[in-house]
Amino acid sequence: MSQMGFPLDRRSLLAGLALLPLAGAAGAQGLGSGLGGVLGKASDSALDKLAVPGAFYADPAVRIMLPLLGGGGGLLGQVLSKGSKLGLTDGLTRKLNDAAGLAAKEAKPVFRAAIDRLTLSDVPGIATQNDGASQYLRRSAGDELTAKLRPLIDSALGKTGAFSALNRLSGKSGVPALSGLTRDKLGASVTDQALNGIFRYIGAEEAKLRANPLKPAESLLKGILGN
């Protein structure tokens, strides 16, 4: 789950509260034009950034890595660690990141559909956290998004040659296959890591949008709460 940990200051509180009247009583019908609009723009912007070729790999915070089955100290973990240092697995790692980028490029309608189906149940929590709507989206639609993103990831892993590279690595060492690094587990791992990265970026984009709230609403709240 994304935990961006942004500090909540007075400006952030104002920005969040400014969205409350926009959401209004629309909770039972949807997220509302205010929060829903912010979240939609944040997800679009995040996915655009991550869809740029090389974006996942270039950012260590969201870089997709090979799963270490059995723990990093297990036999597979040792082999992959040594292989990475020798440059033997870097090609596969890059293919995983390229696949995540391709999936991000296709994921906009998936995230938009999930956002459109959200209903409000924690307005104060959402409104007063810089990434509150992003966190709420993950809590409410995380399983759905994982299920919808997985086919995109699997398709992308095939397109980038990641599955073929896994087969070659497995054929050379025999260790990945024996340790259970199958296509299915690789796809699941890349999906989970990609989703973590996407939500990290969505949270950051949401915070940027909230930092520059609607002027009239901000002025009104300042008048109520005092300068």
Side-chain angles (χ1 to χ4, degrees):
M1 180 174 292
S2 173
Q3 298 292 335
M4 299 296 295
F6 293 113
L8 181 61
D9 54 19
R10 185 172 181 275
R11 179 176 177 79
S12 299
L13 177 62
L14 287 170
L17 292 176
L19 296 172
L20 288 175
L22 295 175
Q29 300 174 353
L31 196 58
S33 60
L35 292 173
V38 167
L39 189 52
K41 290 178 181 178
S43 66
D44 284 353
S45 180
L47 291 168
D48 282 341
K49 290 183 177 181
L50 288 171
V52 174
F56 268 98
Y57 191 85
D59 186 349
V62 298
R63 184 178 298 159
I64 309 297
M65 302 300 292
L66 284 163
L68 299 181
L69 303 180
L75 179 59
L76 179 58
Q78 295 175 25
V79 170
L80 292 182
S81 178
K82 292 179 181 178
S84 179
K85 292 177 181 178
L86 295 173
L88 300 177
T89 60
D90 187 58
L92 175 54
T93 301
R94 286 181 178 274
K95 293 180 189 300
L96 301 184
N97 284 272
D98 289 345
L102 288 177
K105 187 176 182 179
E106 302 295 328
K108 273 189 183 180
V110 172
F111 276 79
R112 280 286 187 167
I115 292 168
D116 289 343
R117 286 193 291 272
L118 284 182
T119 57
L120 290 174
S121 64
D122 183 24
V123 177
I126 295 171
T128 58
Q129 297 180 66
N130 276 351
D131 65 337
S134 303
Q135 290 188 38
Y136 184 69
L137 174 62
R138 182 144 208 193
R139 290 195 304 270
S140 302
D143 290 342
E144 173 192 346
L145 289 169
T146 298
K148 293 291 181 63
L149 187 63
R150 176 61 189 274
L152 298 179
I153 290 290
D154 284 345
S155 175
L157 287 171
K159 291 177 180 177
T160 62
F163 284 143
S164 297
L166 174 64
N167 291 338
R168 289 194 297 272
L169 180 62
S170 178
K172 289 180 179 179
S173 65
V175 176
L178 292 175
S179 301
L181 184 52
T182 62
R183 287 190 175 200
D184 180 65
K185 290 186 177 180
L186 183 63
S189 176
V190 174
T191 299
D192 288 342
Q193 293 181 71
L195 201 58
N196 287 338
I198 290 170
F199 271 106
R200 185 182 185 89
Y201 270 53
I202 291 177
E205 292 301 310
E206 180 188 346
K208 290 179 183 178
L209 291 170
R210 286 173 179 261
N212 189 22
L214 296 175
K215 297 297 183 181
E218 183 183 29
S219 298
L220 175 62
L221 285 168
K222 282 184 177 179
I224 295 174
L225 298 177
N227 294 326

